[in-house]
Amino acid sequence: MPERKPVPDPTLLRICRYLRILERQEANTISSAAIADAAGVNAAQVRKDLSFFGEFGQPGVGYNVQHLLASLKRMMGLDREREVVVIGAGALGSALINYPGFESRGFRIVGVFDNNPAKIGHRLRGYEVMAFDRLAEEIADRNVSLAIIAVPRLAAQDVADALIAAGVRGLLNFAPVTLRVPDHVVVRTVDLTLQLETLAYHLGD
Amino acid sequence: MPERKPVPDPTLLRICRYLRILERQEANTISSAAIADAAGVNAAQVRKDLSFFGEFGQPGVGYNVQHLLASLKRMMGLDREREVVVIGAGALGSALINYPGFESRGFRIVGVFDNNPAKIGHRLRGYEVMAFDRLAEEIADRNVSLAIIAVPRLAAQDVADALIAAGVRGLLNFAPVTLRVPDHVVVRTVDLTLQLETLAYHLGD
DNA sequence: CAGTGTGAAGCGCTTCACAGCT
DNA sequence: AGCTGTGAAGCGCTTCACACTG
């Protein structure tokens, strides 16, 4: 039996933050109020979020940290390793390749691709940079379902199309463009400049 | 007369995306439907978003691209340069320093800081890496109001505190932690792993 | 007529408030 | 008493629908 109601996206993002908080926790038990405080949200929000996945707490006591952690990881699909490929071996791709947060959360980078002949074949932080024409092969061989797109804006849609054709079902896109993908593919776009721009707005003049 | 109603945050983010779309536009005129299509949103949404800042369109015709572009840039506070400092000269900070999207949108990096003695004094992509103890001085001298935090999680809050004490009012935070800041400071946290984790959820098994 | 601007309806997330459990 | 789980209220963003305009 899968989940009854679709889980709101904001809830998913917060759950991941709760995971971080739980991992840093020393005590055996934690209350929704404590999680909420650490995450900067309302305590009812925390309980509501958790309720999408089941009942984990003990009234009058709180949540067992280890139990909650394990349960949430499983529900979020984070209880196993996942293979990821990175497309684009420029400055950003290079930084992402050994971003510690990926490995430590079970995302294993199994391939780095670029179409710049000057980069192909060379090693980048321990990974051999491969040409685009090996994309489909590697993705199929290694059962990759997630990809990180760190290529220039104009190349992003083509790269996305190729990845999807090769069987990738989730894209983390760093190019400042709205990618068109079929329904069965999920895209998250992280636009680094966008965030700075909204900060500029809030500064006023 | 400033804005009447507070502009919703989702609207601000979308307006920035509309800016991108308008910049790539060749025609003189564009309709809300065309903008909406390019941005992947509803046309009414586009019109409503724009209406927070004024009336820019001509019924039966659409919007004058150049006029709308200039108006939105002004309203978003993006019609001038802004000085930014980057804290953390690791892989991520290094990638951000010459991320082309920043410069091209008027964000000028005027200082790079790190507390690693092995890095201080060295040049990184054209910038001299400075020690933390020069933070306050540089920020004051150069009238910096925005900062990018690209340091490890445990250092992020201290760095934020120092930046705020030095007068910075906007923080773009890449550390996976909820920063505590006073009301007059705005924080945007970009958590790279978070996005990947929600993708894992959507993959199902 | 094609397309904007907007009041009003719709919808979904957040917060409240409290019953119920330990 | 303390804290969870949740129906219901609250609130804000999104979408609709249409009067209005060139």
Side-chain angles (χ1 to χ4, degrees):
Chain A
M1 63 221 144
E3 290 79 50
R4 314 198 157 288
K5 301 172 189 172
V7 181
D9 225 71
T11 291
L12 292 175
L13 288 166
R14 281 191 302 268
I15 296 259
C16 293
R17 285 163 54 200
Y18 304 159
L19 281 175
R20 299 268 164 79
I21 292 161
L22 292 169
E23 283 173 345
R24 293 176 219 152
Q25 215 59 33
E26 310 255 311
N28 290 331
T29 275
I30 190 169
S31 68
S32 62
I35 297 175
D37 182 62
V41 302
N42 185 294
Q45 181 82 81
V46 173
R47 297 196 298 274
K48 183 73 88 181
D49 286 339
L50 297 180
S51 77
F52 280 99
F53 294 97
E55 306 193 358
F56 305 101
Q58 200 173 351
V61 180
Y63 303 88
N64 176 297
V65 172
Q66 290 313 315
H67 172 61
L68 183 56
L69 196 50
S71 303
L72 291 182
K73 276 193 174 175
R74 186 160 23 82
M75 326 248 73
M76 292 293 297
L78 296 170
D79 56 343
R80 63 183 196 72
E81 293 226 316
R82 288 180 192 274
E83 283 68 41
V84 182
V85 290
V86 174
I87 320 296
L92 186 57
S94 175
L96 295 172
I97 285 168
N98 65 346
Y99 184 67
F102 293 154
E103 284 285 338
S104 74
R105 306 214 135 247
F107 297 103
R108 204 152 59 83
I109 293 170
V110 298
V112 178
F113 297 85
D114 202 300
N115 68 350
N116 182 342
K119 289 178 180 166
I120 294 167
H122 290 178
R123 295 216 143 241
L124 184 63
R125 303 184 192 275
Y127 296 92
E128 181 197 344
V129 178
M130 294 181 271
F132 279 3
D133 56 26
R134 283 182 57 190
L135 247 184
E137 180 193 344
E138 290 286 326
I139 287 172
D141 285 1
R142 292 165 178 274
N143 195 32
V144 174
S145 51
L146 292 173
I148 298 175
I149 298 178
V151 300
R153 197 196 88 214
L154 290 170
Q157 183 67 59
D158 287 345
V159 165
D161 293 344
L163 287 164
I164 293 165
V168 167
R169 286 181 297 141
L171 300 176
L172 180 57
N173 170 44
F174 286 91
V177 67
T178 306
L179 295 179
R180 317 265 173 171
V181 301
D183 283 348
H184 72 281
V185 176
V186 186
V187 182
R188 293 289 124 134
T189 294
V190 175
D191 189 322
L192 303 174
T193 312
L194 230 49
Q195 308 294 330
L196 255 189
E197 292 180 305
T198 66
L199 285 180
Y201 172 80
H202 283 106
L203 290 184
D205 91 301
Chain B
M1 64 215 150
E3 291 80 48
R4 314 195 155 293
K5 302 170 189 174
V7 182
D9 225 73
T11 290
L12 293 175
L13 287 165
R14 280 191 302 269
I15 295 257
C16 295
R17 285 163 53 200
Y18 304 158
L19 282 176
R20 298 269 164 81
I21 292 161
L22 292 169
E23 283 173 346
R24 294 175 218 155
Q25 216 60 32
E26 309 256 311
N28 291 330
T29 275
I30 190 169
S31 69
S32 61
I35 298 174
D37 182 62
V41 301
N42 185 294
Q45 181 83 82
V46 173
R47 297 198 296 275
K48 182 73 86 182
D49 285 340
L50 298 180
S51 77
F52 280 99
F53 294 99
E55 305 192 0
F56 304 102
Q58 200 174 351
V61 179
Y63 302 89
N64 176 295
V65 172
Q66 291 311 315
H67 172 62
L68 182 57
L69 196 50
S71 303
L72 291 182
K73 274 193 175 175
R74 185 159 23 80
M75 326 248 72
M76 289 293 297
L78 296 170
D79 56 344
R80 63 183 197 71
E81 292 226 318
R82 287 179 193 277
E83 282 68 41
V84 183
V85 290
V86 175
I87 320 298
L92 187 57
S94 175
L96 295 171
I97 284 168
N98 66 346
Y99 183 66
F102 293 154
E103 285 285 337
S104 74
R105 307 215 134 247
F107 298 102
R108 204 151 61 81
I109 292 169
V110 298
V112 178
F113 298 84
D114 203 299
N115 68 350
N116 181 343
K119 290 179 180 165
I120 294 166
H122 290 179
R123 296 215 142 239
L124 184 62
R125 304 186 192 273
Y127 297 91
E128 182 198 343
V129 178
M130 293 181 273
F132 280 2
D133 57 27
R134 284 183 57 191
L135 247 183
E137 178 192 345
E138 290 286 326
I139 286 172
D141 284 0
R142 293 166 177 273
N143 194 31
V144 174
S145 51
L146 292 173
I148 298 175
I149 299 179
V151 301
R153 197 195 88 213
L154 290 171
Q157 183 66 59
D158 287 345
V159 165
D161 293 344
L163 287 164
I164 292 165
V168 167
R169 286 180 298 141
L171 301 176
L172 180 57
N173 170 45
F174 286 91
V177 66
T178 305
L179 295 179
R180 317 265 172 171
V181 301
D183 283 347
H184 72 279
V185 176
V186 186
V187 182
R188 294 288 124 135
T189 293
V190 175
D191 188 323
L192 302 174
T193 312
L194 229 51
Q195 307 294 332
L196 209 46
E197 292 180 304
T198 66
L199 286 180
Y201 172 80
H202 282 106
L203 290 185
D205 92 301

